[in-house]
């Protein structure tokens, strides 16, 4: 450009020469821009990879769990058929351990021995007997969960080299553990409990089923409310509402709501849904309502954007052959805007799936053992479970926390994958 | 097609809204517990045990903090309010008054044991031997001037050696909980105030000018030596491992679980061990409580049984499962007394007690 | 009767009363008001008759005092330089301008004696009677079949599937598209070429059997062969329908229309039989335009 002005009159410079001269610089800029973009993408992939590596590195071991193979003798004498729950199932476990280690006589040592098996083992046996009374009188070999300390030792999280006093397992206990391993009675096996159980204070008995069920119920409420309400609001604002100060005000407010910290919605939920309506605390219903408030702005904004992007020529075409306003919207505009609306909804839902702060206020940050089955049962959700486990002193919860994060990430990836899939599928109709 | 879905959803919502309060009105068949995050691990263990061994549902336990729990607990009677609240400190007079004002007239106090608050560091560094006075001088915002006299100056100490020549020459760097935490309250009250009372002139202030006394003893420095590390004690443990020069403040159960990585500092010559805390010789320990809403007993199924489980020796005894989780048990005599009072639902009377 | 109604209408529209600024230029075009239209804007027994139509887009005065009649079974061509208001005026005839927020229309437009801007008039049946083909082809993103069948379906014109099939086939044949698409009716209409799309839109418009068809430069995207097809179609449709066509192609106007209207800066300058307009224009602006001096 500078050259252009100071052109010497001697040589005639054509427009093509100027273009050529600028061309190198233009290409350089383009390359530079491309490289910047590539670097940004690589950096974000790098960080994402780091996150995944660290979480998976911490969490994969939670998918196995040390289990002990015990010979349980359901001797008939111990059971009162009318009151199966009262039988001493703990004693069954203890007896079989005694048989394995007959040399252990001292009372304190016996307690130490019994502690190698999870305190949940007795309940597992109880359940088995209750389900199948024909077990009584037989003798079975059963894999039962080992204590979390044993699990940690097997997974190498507890070092054998530190002095005995600083370990939670004594040398003697480690000796027993080595015997069991040598006999093939102590092994890491796939941790089904993690997927089938609710929360527990014992890491080896804790699972994410309750949290997953709570998340699903909460999301169901959120989806059923926020999608139709959000779409209806967007359609009204975009297609029917007059442009005036009121609608401007509503629009500004919706945009503001999208930026309000989520805990505020929790406070609102506490005051309104629990306080005024008297809905049950800690329930997926209230959680879903609160998360609906939180996701609505996202859905409305995304839906309006996708309504706006429907070409006006399609509306005119439909109007031109005498479609009514409602027919234009339902037959033509909505189908075209649907992929965008769904994407917005799924992104909003994914956000809601990862939320803990507003749920704190309405009592969903809680220890809940029973898996919720209805909208009014007390429930918690996956991110809350992660938050609670991260705070637990037992070391075995560290890997379970990471494993729960993996499950949450898997859900998020599935949801976003679904968003992409839906968009693809519906866009093809264009 | 969409409008049909929308209609269906709206109908569903209406039904849900109509049905749920009705459902809630029919009563609650599980115990609702709120309160301290310090008591949470113990209460949940009992709750789980209770749920598994009885025909009752497992209680729901929310971790709301002691103050938050009291607020919910004292909001009134009725199934939408909690039945039991856990606390890592005694109920305050003001909270007690709120309770009574809202119709919660009879509450039973149950002390469950003790929690030691430890100052720990990484095993890679030497074990610290601190006095309460050292702790106060190292962490208070304003301390008596080092040259003596009854004058306060902004905390001038940078290293432990400056506080006490016997201590190592490392920077004062303490990771601890934020002010919202009960652990922090207890630490300030037990360790800081204890150290601060070793100055005679400050101690006399306690009688003459209580507000000033508290201001001096309870204010933690904000110049970077004390680092608020969040409520998550696991995080503090991890940070200690990464930074051997730092000390961390947290509950005993975290030391108990991580004995191979971190060590507890001696306080006034006492190590934070199970035995020392139980015997009361380790000075920084606090009692833990839960409070029962007596009016709900008999209305909400299982409350008596839950209390019985908590106060049984297999739970809170010396060899009970709670000790396994890091709860420091009371003496046998104390246990017996509290268990009896709990079983009889002896109402708490707070006239002069509390603070 | 009609004139009384028109007078009533105008008195009802306050913004028209005093202001209605007289154009921007202030040159000779201002002289051409409704009375100023040269030629023969009015006919006996009009199908549609427009009186003193004014259109505003916000402050912009896009159509100024236009009065014109459209006879039954005739083809009226509208010509004029770009931006002179042809599309705007055309869109008044089936109230498509209603969809533009800023747009206000005044004056009277009668269809078979009925004031289409009357409050009691429902635009849905009106647009079924007065169909439209747009300047840019705009098929629905649906199958070819559904594109044509959509109008008859919403208006309930077909009793059965076979009747609907017949309407689709008829319409496509009339639009000269049947041969090209009869074997792929289930494929998306958006997959056709630009010219095919435009014919699809024409077929879609005639599928609801309107009385009047408005065409806004229907051939601007077509090759000469397709243009010829459309022109043949117009000639054929003329037997049943009334057609108003906007075009920039003078030859086309000459070929297909009986009457031609010339617009200039929102004003209707001259109307007359097509032969006369092209051979012997009376207004200087018309002459300049058709002889290619500007526009
Ligand atoms: N939606 C609108 N909002 C504001 N002004 C408009 C709008 N539509 C058209 N106009 C203006 O009205 C005038 C007439 O436009 P119109 O589209 O009717 O022109 P036209 O004669 O059809 O031109 P062309 O031959 O280029 O299609 C133009 O000046 C245009 O800028
Ligand atoms: Mg136009």
């Amino acid at each position: 450009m500078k050259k252009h002005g100071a052109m010497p009159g001697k040589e005639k410079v054509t427009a093509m020469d100027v273009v050529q001269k600028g061309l190198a610089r233009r290409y350089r800029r383009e390359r530079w821009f491309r490289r910047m973009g590539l670097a940004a993408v690589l950096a974000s992939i790098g960080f994402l990879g780091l996150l995944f590596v660290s979480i998976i590195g911490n969490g994969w071991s939670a998918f196995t769990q040390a289990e002990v193979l015990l010979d349980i003798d359901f001797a008939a004498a111990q059971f009162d058929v009318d009151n199966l729950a009262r039988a001493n199932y703990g004693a069954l476990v203890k007896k079989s351990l005694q048989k394995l280690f007959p040399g252990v006589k001292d009372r304190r040592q016996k307690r130490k021995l019994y502690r190698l098996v999870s305190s949940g083992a007795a309940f597992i046996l109880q359940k088995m007997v209750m389900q199948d009374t024909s077990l009584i009188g037989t003798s079975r070999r059963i894999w039962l969960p080992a204590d979390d300390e044993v699990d940690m030792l097997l997974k190498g999280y507890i070092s054998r080299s530190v002095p005995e006093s600083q370990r939670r397992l004594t040398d003697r206990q480690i000796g027993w553990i080595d015997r069991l391993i040598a006999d093939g009675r102590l092994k890491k096996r796939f941790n089904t409990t993690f997927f089938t159980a609710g929360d527990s204070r014992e890491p080896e008995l804790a699972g994410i089923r309750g949290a997953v069920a709570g998340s699903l119920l909460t999301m169901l409420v959120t989806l059923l409310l926020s999608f139709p309400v959000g779409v209806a609001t967007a359609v009204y604002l975009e297609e029917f509402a007059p442009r005036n100060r009121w609608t401007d005000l509503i629009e500004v407010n919706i945009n503001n709501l999208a930026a309000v910290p989520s805990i505020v919605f929790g406070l609102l939920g506490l005051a309104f849904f629990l306080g005024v309506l008297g809905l049950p605390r800690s329930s997926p219903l209230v959680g879903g309502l609160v998360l609906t408030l939180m996701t609505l702005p996202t859905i409305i904004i995304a839906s309006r954007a996708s309504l706006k992007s429907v070409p006006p020529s399609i509306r005119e075409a439909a109007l031109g052959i005498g479609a009514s306003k409602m027919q234009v919207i339902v037959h033509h505009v909505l189908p075209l805007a649907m992929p965008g609306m769904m994407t917005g909804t799924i992104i909003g839902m994914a956000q809601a799936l990862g939320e803990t702060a507003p749920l704190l206020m309405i009592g969903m940050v809680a220890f809940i053992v029973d898996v919720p089955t209805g909208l009014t049962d007390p429930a918690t959700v996956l991110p809350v479970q992660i938050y609670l486990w991260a705070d637990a002193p037992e070391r075995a919860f560290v890997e379970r926390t990471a494993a729960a994060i993996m499950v949450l990430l898997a859900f998020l990836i599935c949801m976003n994958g679904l968003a992409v899939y839906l968009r693809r599928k519906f866009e093809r109709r264009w | 097609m969409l409008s049909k879905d929308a209609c269906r959803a709206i109908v569903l919502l209406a039904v849900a809204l109509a049905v749920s309060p009705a459902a809630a009105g029919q009563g609650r068949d599980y115990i609702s517990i709120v309160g301290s995050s310090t008591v949470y691990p113990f209460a949940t263990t009992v709750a789980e045990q209770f749920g598994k061994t009885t025909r009752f549902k497992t209680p729901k336990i929310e971790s709301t903090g002691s103050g938050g729990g009291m607020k919910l607990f004292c909001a009134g009677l009725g199934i939408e309010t909690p039945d039991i609240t856990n606390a890592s400190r005694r109920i305050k007079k003001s909270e007690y008054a709120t309770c009574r004002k809202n119709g919660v007239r009879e509450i039973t106090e149950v002390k469950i044991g003790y929690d030691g608050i430890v100052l720990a560091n990484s095993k890679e560094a030497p074990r610290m031997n601190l006095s309460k006075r050292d702790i106060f001088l190292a962490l208070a915002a304003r301390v008596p001037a080092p040259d003596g006299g009854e004058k306060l100056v902004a905390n001038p100490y940078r290293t432990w050696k400056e506080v006490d020549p016997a201590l190592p020459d490392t920077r004062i760097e303490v990771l601890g909980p934020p002010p919202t935490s009960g652990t922090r309250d207890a630490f300030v009250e037990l360790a800081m105030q204890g150290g601060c009372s070793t100055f005679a002139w400050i101690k006399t202030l306690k009688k003459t000018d209580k507000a000033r006394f508290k201001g001096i003893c309870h204010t933690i420095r904000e110049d970077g030596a004390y680092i608020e590390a969040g409520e998550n004690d696991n995080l503090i443990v991890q940070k200690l491992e990464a930074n051997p020069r730092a000390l961390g403040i947290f509950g005993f159960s975290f030391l108990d679980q991580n004995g191979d990585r971190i060590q507890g500092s001696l306080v006034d010559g006492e190590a934070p061990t199970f035995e020392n805390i139980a015997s009361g010789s380790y000075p920084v320990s606090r009692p833990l409580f839960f409070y029962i809403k007596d009016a709900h007993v008999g209305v909400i199924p299982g409350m008596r049984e839950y209390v019985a489980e908590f106060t049984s020796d297999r739970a809170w005894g010396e060899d009970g499962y709670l000790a396994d989780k890091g709860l420091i048990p009371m003496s046998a005599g104390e246990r017996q007394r509290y268990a009896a009072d709990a079983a009889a639902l002896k109402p708490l009377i707070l006239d002069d007690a509390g603070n | 009767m009609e004139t009384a109604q028109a007078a009533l209408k105008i008195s009802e529209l306050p913004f028209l009363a005093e202001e209605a600024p007289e154009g921007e230029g202030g040159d000779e075009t201002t002289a051409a008001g409704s009375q100023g239209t040269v030629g023969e804007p009015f006919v006996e027994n009009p199908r549609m008759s427009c009186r003193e139509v004014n259109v505003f887009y916000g402050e912009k005065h896009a159509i100024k005092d236009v009065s014109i009649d459209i006879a039954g079974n005739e083809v009226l061509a509208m010509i004029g330089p770009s931006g002179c208001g042809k599309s705007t005026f055309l869109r008044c005839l089936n109230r498509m301008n209603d969809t533009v927020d800023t747009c206000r229309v005044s004056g009277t437009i009668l269809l078979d004696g009925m004031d289409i801007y009357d409050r009691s008039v429902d635009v849905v049946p009106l647009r079924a009677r007065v169909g439209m083909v747009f300047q840019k082809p705009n098929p629905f993103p649906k199958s070819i079949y559904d594109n044509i069948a959509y109008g008859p379906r919403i208006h309930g014109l077909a009793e059965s599937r076979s009747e609907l099939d017949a309407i689709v086939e008829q319409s496509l044949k009339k639009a000269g598209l049947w041969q090209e698409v009869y074997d792929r009716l289930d494929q998306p209409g958006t997959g056709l070429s630009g010219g095919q799309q435009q014919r699809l839109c024409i077929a879609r418009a005639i599928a609801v059997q309107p009385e009047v068809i408005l065409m806004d430069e229907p051939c601007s995207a077509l090759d000469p062969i397709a243009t010829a097809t459309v022109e043949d179609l117009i000639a054929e449709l003329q037997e049943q329908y009334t057609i108003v066509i906007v075009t920039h192609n003078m030859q086309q106007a000459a070929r297909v229309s009986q009457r031609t209207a010339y617009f200039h800066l929102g004003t209707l300058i001259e109307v007359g039989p097509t032969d006369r307009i092209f051979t012997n224009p009376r207004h200087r602006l018309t002459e300049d335009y058709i002889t290619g001096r500007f526009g």
Side-chain angles (χ1 to χ4, degrees):
Chain A
M1 283 317 232
K2 268 179 274 163
K3 282 273 166 63
H4 203 152
M7 209 175 5
K10 198 172 97 193
E11 225 175 298
K12 202 168 171 233
V13 181
T14 65
M16 209 45 224
D17 293 335
V18 178
V19 169
Q20 287 291 357
K21 226 176 263 168
L23 216 53
R25 205 181 56 202
R26 253 153 61 184
Y27 284 150
R28 205 164 47 241
R29 261 199 209 157
E30 211 165 278
R31 271 198 303 275
W32 184 77
F33 190 79
R34 259 209 319 254
R35 266 187 227 131
M36 287 286 288
L38 194 66
V41 168
L42 286 180
S44 26
I45 288 181
F47 284 124
L48 200 68
L50 208 65
L51 175 80
F52 274 61
V53 165
S54 101
I55 288 174
I56 294 174
N58 273 327
W60 69 272
S61 55
F63 295 120
T64 59
Q65 154 73 33
E67 291 188 11
V68 192
L69 183 64
L70 291 180
D71 302 309
I72 304 288
D73 181 13
F74 296 96
Q78 293 168 353
F79 293 93
D80 170 5
V81 185
D82 299 324
N83 202 345
L84 288 173
R86 289 300 280 276
N88 189 349
Y89 295 93
L92 298 180
V93 176
K94 287 177 186 167
K95 213 175 254 166
S96 85
L97 278 168
Q98 262 165 17
K99 255 194 212 142
L100 283 176
F101 298 98
V104 184
K105 291 271 190 293
D106 172 47
R107 205 177 142 265
R108 277 186 77 84
Q109 289 302 324
K110 271 193 198 164
R111 282 177 51 100
K112 291 240 162 84
L113 174 62
Y114 299 153
R115 220 173 257 174
L116 295 184
V117 177
S118 165
S119 62
F123 301 112
I124 294 172
L125 294 180
Q126 177 180 344
K127 233 190 218 160
M128 285 176 70
V129 173
M130 306 271 252
Q131 261 166 22
D132 180 11
T133 44
S134 69
L135 277 177
I136 297 171
T138 65
S139 179
R140 292 288 166 94
R141 310 190 87 197
I142 299 169
W143 284 102
L144 291 168
D147 189 63
D148 56 316
E149 305 287 346
V150 179
D151 190 40
M152 291 290 98
L153 184 81
L154 253 62
K155 288 173 182 167
Y157 291 114
I158 292 181
S159 152
R160 291 163 183 249
S161 55
V162 295
E164 189 177 14
S165 62
Q166 290 163 8
R167 265 192 255 121
R168 286 175 61 84
L169 288 172
T170 63
D171 287 345
R172 188 98 196 258
Q173 282 177 309
I174 291 181
W176 294 327
I177 290 170
D178 289 340
R179 255 277 309 279
L180 286 171
I181 295 175
D183 291 354
R185 283 179 176 274
L186 180 58
K187 253 195 213 146
K188 284 190 285 178
R189 304 182 75 215
F190 182 71
N191 187 0
T192 42
T193 313
F194 184 73
F195 297 99
T196 56
D199 197 6
S200 170
R201 280 304 307 157
E202 306 301 329
E204 69 273 16
L205 303 178
I208 51 165
R209 169 109 177 264
V212 169
S215 274
L216 291 180
L217 288 169
T218 310
M219 287 298 111
L220 184 76
V221 175
T222 308
L223 181 67
L224 285 183
L225 292 179
S226 63
F227 183 67
V229 173
V231 168
T233 310
V235 168
Y236 178 77
L237 287 178
E238 206 49 54
E239 307 284 338
F240 293 104
R243 293 264 171 279
N244 59 26
R245 219 175 304 154
W246 288 111
T247 43
D248 283 352
L249 194 74
I250 289 172
E251 176 158 5
V252 167
N253 272 309
I254 288 173
N255 292 344
N256 275 342
L257 275 182
V260 162
S262 55
I263 189 135
V264 173
F265 294 104
L267 288 167
L268 180 69
L270 176 65
F272 186 70
F273 299 128
L274 299 184
V276 176
L277 295 185
L279 298 179
R281 204 176 154 82
S282 315
S283 63
L285 176 66
V286 177
L289 285 168
V290 166
L291 293 179
T292 299
L293 296 181
M294 205 193 82
T295 38
L296 262 181
T298 315
I299 295 181
I300 293 173
I301 291 170
S303 299
R304 290 189 68 177
S306 59
L307 284 173
K308 269 198 197 110
S309 71
V310 173
S313 63
I314 298 293
R315 292 167 209 266
E316 291 203 321
L319 285 171
I321 47 177
S324 68
K325 183 139 200 181
M326 204 59 218
Q327 283 170 328
V328 172
I329 291 168
V330 173
H331 296 162
H332 301 284
V333 177
L334 277 184
L336 291 179
M338 209 30 84
M341 291 177 164
M342 283 197 226
T343 308
T345 306
I346 291 173
I347 288 170
M349 297 291 289
Q351 251 172 26
L353 182 65
E355 225 16 279
T356 50
L359 303 182
L360 187 74
M361 292 288 125
I362 53 164
M364 288 188 89
V365 178
F367 176 73
I368 290 155
V369 172
D370 301 320
V371 176
T373 53
L375 291 183
T376 52
D377 287 352
T380 185
V381 293
L382 259 178
V384 169
Q385 192 67 75
I386 290 165
Y387 167 82
L388 287 173
W389 282 353
D391 215 12
E394 290 84 2
R395 207 177 289 175
F397 273 122
V398 174
E399 57 170 25
R400 279 167 176 78
T401 308
I405 294 173
M406 281 161 69
V407 172
L408 181 64
L409 283 177
F411 270 103
L412 291 175
I413 289 171
C414 286
M415 286 176 79
N416 287 319
L418 184 73
V420 172
Y421 170 77
L422 287 176
R423 203 164 52 216
R424 288 271 165 76
K425 184 173 171 202
F426 284 91
E427 258 169 9
R428 219 166 281 153
R429 298 201 352 212
W430 248 109
Chain B
M1 54 172 195
L2 177 104
S3 51
K4 227 182 277 166
D5 279 357
C7 292
R8 209 173 296 153
I10 288 162
V11 168
L12 242 160
L13 164 68
V15 169
L17 285 181
V19 164
S20 47
Q26 280 160 13
R28 174 152 55 70
D29 57 356
Y30 57 89
I31 305 171
S32 166
I33 302 173
V34 295
S36 159
S37 53
T38 312
V39 184
Y40 174 86
F42 310 129
T44 46
T45 310
V46 175
E48 190 175 350
Q49 201 69 28
F50 167 78
K52 280 184 173 154
T53 54
T54 65
R55 65 200 158 80
F56 300 106
K57 279 201 174 172
T58 307
K60 176 192 91 187
I61 304 183
E62 284 178 49
S63 171
T64 61
S66 301
M70 285 296 175
K71 212 166 138 190
L72 290 165
F73 181 79
C74 291
L77 297 175
I79 47 150
E80 65 283 357
T81 61
D83 314 309
I84 290 174
T85 184
N86 301 317
S88 56
R89 54 167 174 76
R90 217 169 172 213
I91 188 170
K92 287 181 188 162
K93 246 187 179 168
S94 55
E95 290 163 344
Y96 184 72
T98 317
C99 256
R100 291 186 72 89
K101 201 184 78 207
N102 291 334
V104 186
R105 312 214 115 248
E106 307 208 319
I107 53 184
T108 300
E109 177 182 78
V110 184
K111 186 162 136 192
I112 59 170
Y114 299 92
D115 176 36
I117 296 171
V118 301
L119 280 128
N121 61 358
S122 159
K123 287 221 134 137
E124 277 160 45
R127 188 194 278 263
M128 301 280 273
N129 186 350
L130 304 166
S131 66
K132 280 191 277 190
R133 192 181 176 116
D134 294 339
I135 296 173
F136 169 69
L137 290 178
L139 294 181
R142 290 158 64 77
V143 294
D147 49 6
E150 300 192 357
K151 208 176 71 189
L152 288 173
V153 294
N155 197 328
Y157 304 113
R158 301 271 138 240
T159 67
W160 290 103
K161 201 181 171 84
E162 287 169 32
V163 174
D164 179 347
L167 291 173
D169 190 14
T170 49
R171 265 226 340 267
I172 298 173
E173 206 174 332
V174 178
L175 305 168
T180 47
S181 143
T183 310
R184 160 94 166 244
D185 288 346
F187 174 77
V188 159
E189 216 153 277
L190 296 164
M192 300 266 295
Q193 184 173 323
C196 151
S197 301
T198 58
F199 293 90
W201 67 270
I202 301 182
K203 195 172 179 184
T204 53
L205 276 180
K206 187 171 183 180
K207 300 225 173 57
T208 54
D209 186 354
K210 196 156 180 182
R212 174 130 191 268
F213 173 77
K214 273 198 173 169
I216 298 170
C217 297
H218 290 192
T219 313
I220 285 188
R221 64 198 293 185
E222 283 174 352
D223 56 357
Y226 182 90
I227 301 148
E228 280 178 14
E231 299 258 18
N232 188 327
D233 292 355
N234 269 328
L235 214 62
I236 300 186
V237 172
Q238 277 173 24
K239 284 181 181 160
L240 290 185
E241 265 195 296
N243 177 5
R245 283 167 324 185
L247 280 179
I249 300 171
F250 40 79
F252 171 73
S253 20
F254 286 84
L255 177 63
D256 193 35
Q257 290 281 341
N258 295 288
D260 54 339
R261 307 194 226 170
I262 49 174
Q263 59 197 353
S265 311
L266 306 186
V267 177
D268 290 346
E270 296 287 346
T273 61
F274 191 84
E275 293 74 22
N276 283 344
I277 302 171
S279 69
S281 55
Y282 180 75
V284 197
S285 80
R286 56 174 162 169
L288 303 176
F289 300 89
F290 68 85
Y291 293 86
I292 308 165
K293 199 177 276 177
D294 294 351
H296 283 195
V297 178
V299 179
I300 305 292
M303 280 186 67
R304 249 176 225 289
E305 291 81 357
Y306 172 79
V307 173
E309 174 72 38
F310 213 134
T311 57
S312 70
D313 263 4
R314 70 192 200 102
W316 71 357
E318 261 122 37
D319 286 322
Y321 54 77
L322 291 182
D324 244 14
K325 293 278 170 199
L327 178 74
I328 317 281
M330 299 179 282
S331 68
E334 245 187 323
R335 288 207 304 271
Q336 220 166 24
R337 216 183 68 230
Y338 273 105
D341 286 356
L345 292 178
K346 187 176 159 201
L348 171 72
I349 295 162
L350 263 196
D351 286 330
D352 45 356
N355 36 3
Chain C
M1 167 70 199
E2 271 172 30
T3 36
Q5 199 179 4
L8 190 87
K9 265 294 197 221
I10 288 159
S11 62
E12 272 174 11
L13 298 161
F15 58 87
L16 249 190
E18 299 94 34
E19 5 141 40
E22 291 278 53
E24 295 92 50
D27 56 358
E28 71 252 69
T29 55
T30 49
S34 62
Q35 297 82 13
T37 300
V38 181
E40 306 88 37
F42 307 124
V43 297
E44 307 248 311
N45 293 325
R47 196 74 207 255
M48 297 192 80
S49 85
C50 314
R51 291 293 177 273
E52 295 174 60
V53 174
N54 282 277
V55 181
F56 295 82
Y57 289 113
E59 289 299 298
K60 180 167 172 65
H61 199 168
I63 293 289
K64 296 162 194 162
D65 273 344
V66 169
S67 298
I68 187 172
D69 284 346
I70 302 159
N73 297 51
E74 81 162 349
V75 178
L76 171 69
M78 303 207 295
I79 58 171
S82 183
C84 67
K86 305 177 299 288
S87 296
T88 302
F89 183 70
L90 196 69
R91 290 162 59 91
C92 290
L93 300 179
N94 69 345
R95 290 184 57 176
M96 279 306 285
N97 279 333
D98 290 12
T99 61
V100 180
D101 281 344
T102 53
C103 184
R104 283 172 304 154
V105 179
S106 69
T108 11
I109 299 175
L110 305 180
L111 172 63
D112 290 339
M114 172 191 79
D115 183 353
I116 65 169
Y117 277 90
D118 191 84
R119 209 165 299 172
S120 63
V121 167
D122 186 352
V123 293
V124 170
L126 171 71
R127 289 185 191 141
R129 288 177 68 188
V130 184
M132 186 154 193
V133 177
F134 295 85
Q135 197 162 347
K136 268 196 322 210
N138 54 356
F140 300 129
K142 296 177 189 287
S143 71
I144 294 173
Y145 184 95
D146 286 338
N147 260 285
I148 314 290
Y150 182 69
R153 268 199 197 121
I154 59 172
H155 294 300
L157 297 184
E159 306 266 88
S160 64
R161 175 79 195 192
S162 56
E163 251 181 81
L164 195 59
D165 288 348
I167 293 179
V168 171
E169 185 176 340
Q170 280 298 313
S171 310
L172 283 170
K173 275 186 175 152
K174 276 191 193 158
L177 194 59
W178 178 252
Q179 280 306 317
E180 286 155 69
V181 300
Y182 69 93
D183 53 349
R184 48 169 171 151
L185 291 178
D186 53 345
Q187 310 228 328
T190 41
L192 297 173
S193 79
Q196 288 173 325
Q197 287 188 15
Q198 189 61 295
R199 279 179 282 153
L200 181 67
C201 293
I202 294 172
R204 182 177 64 190
I206 57 183
V208 292
Q209 293 157 23
E211 297 157 24
V212 180
I213 302 178
L214 310 174
M215 294 184 169
D216 197 346
E217 298 181 43
C219 300
S220 57
L222 302 189
D223 69 358
I225 299 169
T227 304
T229 321
V230 173
E231 285 177 9
D232 288 348
L233 169 67
I234 291 171
E236 189 189 324
L237 292 175
Q238 183 190 353
E239 286 158 22
Q240 289 172 40
Y241 308 111
T242 301
I243 295 170
V244 183
I245 178 170
V246 172
T247 178
H248 281 287
N249 182 335
M250 239 63 79
Q251 283 81 25
Q252 183 172 59
R255 279 195 299 268
V256 301
S257 70
Q258 284 82 57
R259 284 204 306 151
T260 296
Y262 174 66
F263 282 79
H264 188 94
L265 287 176
T267 314
L268 181 57
I269 302 294
E270 183 167 356
V271 185
T274 302
D275 321 341
R276 189 197 43 74
I277 292 278
F278 283 103
T279 53
N280 185 18
R282 288 186 196 154
H283 200 286
R284 197 173 56 77
L285 284 168
T286 320
E287 188 181 349
D288 285 351
Y289 181 73
I290 59 173
T291 54
R293 235 165 280 166
F294 73 90

